[in-house]
């Protein structure tokens, strides 16, 4: 029996709008059409028309779940254009905020995958850990999500002694809880049965499609901006790269939770090492003419900002963001898959249309 | 149990994540599998042209029966994206608007509860 099934554009298992039109033959997907473009706001074109404070605010709202990564890349590009230095305290605070954001993003993605395969109890554990992470984020950056935090030359807000102490008490507990959850996931047979060799993306295909971030690292691609061209505080902290060889749903899930675990440790270390010193930044009074670029590892892979200036204002901004699914990649991942596995496979890509389409 | 259906019409995702947090923190809130099971519809994002068509397809069928809550500043007036939102689409009437960029999960949960008592405004 053959029929068509449309999923989306609005669906509880994905955050940004995207549509899948599946042609089902028996129990498997025979073919599919992927539609995107629901989230094109034209932010990059809008940025040069704004003054710097407004531009930075818009950058922080291009993606709410990778907001620190976007503002960090934008600020680093401005700093490189204008030759602005950043104090060590600010560098470590930025790193802590960026890693906490990664934890929140990854744990939510992993929880969504677990929910789609019916493992609601484990998903709830991860969701609660994510919520606790957001409360630490509030202490460190002043907001649960999309904080007004990075500014050229530093950060907008110094963490208070009390907030730092509370965060340093909470983070080790969170780290241990995430570790215990990973331990239960590794040999959970119900989880293995639903995820191993499901939705496989071989390494060669991942390379060809230019997949980035955790999705690429789950297919064995050893690539991470934090390791490859170290920025912010990653030279000061012991950073460990997470990769898996499997390329399947299980590998993607493991990369998400293991990276969340590593990110919690990094945020903890960054806050421990916090030196006294300069943290304040301010908007430069004038921009140097020329162009500059900066890349950071956002929760879903490299985000690069290339900016051009005529000496008074920004004239051009190019934002290069990761894209987890496109028409052909969606077909590679889903064609031939069992209908039951469709939503878990899509959830495991952790698509962020807000980043991809800006 | 109050079932929610969330429609992201081009938001940055922060409001959507805070709605997820509201569902986690409030035991009486849950997700609806599709819009026709929902007790409250949630709108995030500035109603971008393509997403608006998909939104209207659902909303036209449910506008008489399910209250709509607009969550977040860009759903209300399009700021900071400079376009769209309910302000630019007066034909879409929300029972409640929750301002914030993003609003707190507590404010979202309170608005959902209030929307059920306020009911559907005449359009």
């Amino acid at each position: 029996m053959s029929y068509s099934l449309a999923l989306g554009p609005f669906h509880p298992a994905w955050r940004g709008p995207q549509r899948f039109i599946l042609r089902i033959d028996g129990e498997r997907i025979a073919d599919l059409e992927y539609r995107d473009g629901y989230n094109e706001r034209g932010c990059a074109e809008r940025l040069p028309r704004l003054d710097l404070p407004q531009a930075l605010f818009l950058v922080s709202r291009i993606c709410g779940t990778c907001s620190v990564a976007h503002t960090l890349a934008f600020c680093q590009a401005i700093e490189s254009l204008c030759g602005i230095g950043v104090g060590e305290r600010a560098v470590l605070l930025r790193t802590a905020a960026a890693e906490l954001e990664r934890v929140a993003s990854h744990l939510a993605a992993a929880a969504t995958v677990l929910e789609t395969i019916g493992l609601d109890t484990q998903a709830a554990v991860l969701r609660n850990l994510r919520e606790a992470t957001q409360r630490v984020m509030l202490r460190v950056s002043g907001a649960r999500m999309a904080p007004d935090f990075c500014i050229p030359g530093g950060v907008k807000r110094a963490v208070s002694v009390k907030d730092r102490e509370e965060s340093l008490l909470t983070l080790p507990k969170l780290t241990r809880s995430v570790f215990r959850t990973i331990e239960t996931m590794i040999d959970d047979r119900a989880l293995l049965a639903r995820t191993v060799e499901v939705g496989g993306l071989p390494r060669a295909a991942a390379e060809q499609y230019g997949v980035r971030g955790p999705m690429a690292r789950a297919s064995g691609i050893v690539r991470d901006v934090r390791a490859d061209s170290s920025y912010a505080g990653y030279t000061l902290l012991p950073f460990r790269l997470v990769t898996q060889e499997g390329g399947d749903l299980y590998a993607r899930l493991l990369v998400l939770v293991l990276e969340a675990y590593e990110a919690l440790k990094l945020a903890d270390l960054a806050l421990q090492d916090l030196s006294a010193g300069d943290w304040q930044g301010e908007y430069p009074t004038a921009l140097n003419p020329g162009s500059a670029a900066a890349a950071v590892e956002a929760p879903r892979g490299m985000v690069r900002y290339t900016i051009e200036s005529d000496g008074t204002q920004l004239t051009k901004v190019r934002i290069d963001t990761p894209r987890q699914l496109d028409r052909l990649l969606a077909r590679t991942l889903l064609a031939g898959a069992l209908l039951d596995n469709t939503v878990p496979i899509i959830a495991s890509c952790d698509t962020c249309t807000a980043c991809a389409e800006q | 149990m109050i079932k929610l259906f969330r429609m992201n019409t081009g938001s940055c995702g922060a409001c959507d994540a805070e709605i997820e947090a509201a569902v986690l923190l409030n035991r009486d809130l849950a997700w609806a599998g599709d819009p026709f099971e929902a007790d409250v519809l949630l709108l995030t994002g500035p109603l971008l042209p393509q997403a608006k068509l998909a939104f209207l397809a659902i909303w036209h069928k449910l506008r008489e029966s399910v209250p709509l809550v607009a969550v977040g500043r860009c759903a209300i007036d399009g700021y900071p994206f400079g376009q769209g939102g309910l302000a630019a689409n007066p034909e879409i009437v929300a029972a409640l608007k929750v301002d914030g960029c993003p609003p707190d999960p507590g404010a979202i949960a309170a608005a959902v509860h209030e929307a059920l008592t306020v009911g559907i405004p005449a359009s």
Side-chain angles (χ1 to χ4, degrees), chain A residues 129-152:
Chain A
L129 291 171
R130 173 187 198 271
E131 184 55 32
T133 309
Q134 284 194 293
R135 286 199 288 271
V136 181
M137 184 72 161
L138 175 66
R139 288 190 180 279
V140 172
S141 71
R144 290 165 49 89
M145 298 218 64
D148 239 355
F149 192 55
C150 296
I151 181 170

Side-chain angles (χ1 to χ4, degrees), chain A residues 1-5 21-32 339:
Chain A
M1 193 184 71
S2 174
Y3 60 99
S4 280
L5 178 70
I21 299 161
L22 311 172
R23 200 162 59 75
I24 316 287
D25 194 10
E27 289 184 354
R28 289 184 184 273
I29 299 171
D31 194 15
L32 70 137
L339 182 57

Side-chain angles (χ1 to χ4, degrees), chain B residues 43 47 52 55-56 59-60 63 68 85-87 89-94 97 123:
Chain B
L43 167 71
L47 287 159
K52 184 182 157 187
F55 169 81
L56 286 177
W59 191 68
H60 278 317
R63 58 188 297 177
L68 174 73
L86 291 176
N89 296 281
E91 75 278 18
I92 301 167
V93 184
K97 298 169 185 173
S123 51

Side-chain angles (χ1 to χ4, degrees), chain A residues 111-127:
Chain A
T112 308
V113 176
L114 293 175
E115 279 158 8
T116 59
I117 52 180
L119 298 174
D120 287 345
T121 321
Q122 276 150 312
V125 172
L126 293 182
R127 289 231 180 255

Side-chain angles (χ1 to χ4, degrees), chain B residues 10 13 24 30 38 43 53-55 67 74 84 87-88 95 97 99 110 114 119-120 123:
Chain B
L24 177 77
L43 167 71
L53 292 176
F55 169 81
C74 66
K97 298 169 185 173
D99 199 359
E114 203 186 326
I120 298 152
S123 51

Side-chain angles (χ1 to χ4, degrees), chain A residues 103-355:
Chain A
V103 177
S105 174
H106 281 12
L107 291 182
T112 308
V113 176
L114 293 175
E115 279 158 8
T116 59
I117 52 180
L119 298 174
D120 287 345
T121 321
Q122 276 150 312
V125 172
L126 293 182
R127 289 231 180 255
N128 284 319
L129 291 171
R130 173 187 198 271
E131 184 55 32
T133 309
Q134 284 194 293
R135 286 199 288 271
V136 181
M137 184 72 161
L138 175 66
R139 288 190 180 279
V140 172
S141 71
R144 290 165 49 89
M145 298 218 64
D148 239 355
F149 192 55
C150 296
I151 181 170
V155 290
K156 281 190 182 164
R157 174 184 186 275
V159 62
S160 71
V161 175
K162 181 168 173 283
D163 281 339
R164 179 174 168 230
E165 278 172 1
E166 290 286 339
S167 304
L168 284 174
L169 281 174
T170 314
L171 282 170
K173 288 182 205 157
L174 275 176
T175 314
R176 282 196 299 275
S177 305
V178 170
F179 184 78
R180 274 199 301 274
T181 316
I182 297 172
E183 270 193 324
T184 63
M185 283 169 66
I186 283 175
D187 59 359
D188 183 323
R189 304 194 85 75
L191 177 69
L192 292 172
R194 285 301 306 275
T195 56
V196 173
E197 295 194 354
V198 170
L201 181 68
R203 184 183 171 147
E207 287 274 13
Q208 283 288 325
Y209 284 116
V211 173
R212 296 181 201 167
M215 205 173 154
R217 291 192 283 276
S219 293
I221 297 175
V222 187
R223 198 173 295 147
D224 190 315
V225 189
R226 292 174 292 171
D228 302 340
S229 54
S230 201
Y231 60 95
Y234 299 104
T235 38
L236 309 166
L237 302 168
F239 167 66
R240 274 167 62 191
L241 194 80
V242 176
T243 54
Q244 290 281 311
E245 294 298 322
D248 52 8
L249 217 158
Y250 181 68
R252 288 200 282 279
L253 194 57
L254 270 196
V255 166
L256 287 174
V257 288
L258 287 170
E259 282 192 359
Y261 172 67
E262 289 295 328
L264 276 170
K265 288 200 296 190
L266 281 176
D268 189 16
L269 286 172
L271 288 177
Q272 276 179 32
D273 292 354
L274 218 52
S275 54
D278 267 2
W279 53 269
Q280 271 163 312
E282 58 180 348
Y283 296 106
T285 44
L287 293 171
N288 291 344
S291 69
V296 304
E297 183 73 19
R300 295 175 189 81
M302 184 190 73
V303 166
R304 184 198 279 121
Y305 274 70
T306 312
I307 58 170
E308 284 174 26
S309 159
D310 61 2
T312 51
Q313 61 174 40
L314 294 173
T315 50
K316 194 177 176 191
V317 180
R318 211 170 60 239
I319 313 169
D320 179 14
T321 47
R323 190 174 274 270
Q324 292 76 34
L325 280 180
D326 58 34
R327 201 166 53 85
L328 292 172
L329 182 54
R331 192 166 280 168
T332 305
L333 269 170
L334 289 167
L338 281 171
L339 182 57
D340 281 353
N341 291 334
T342 312
V343 174
I345 293 172
I346 298 170
S348 75
C349 298
D350 188 20
T351 46
C352 180
T353 55
C355 273

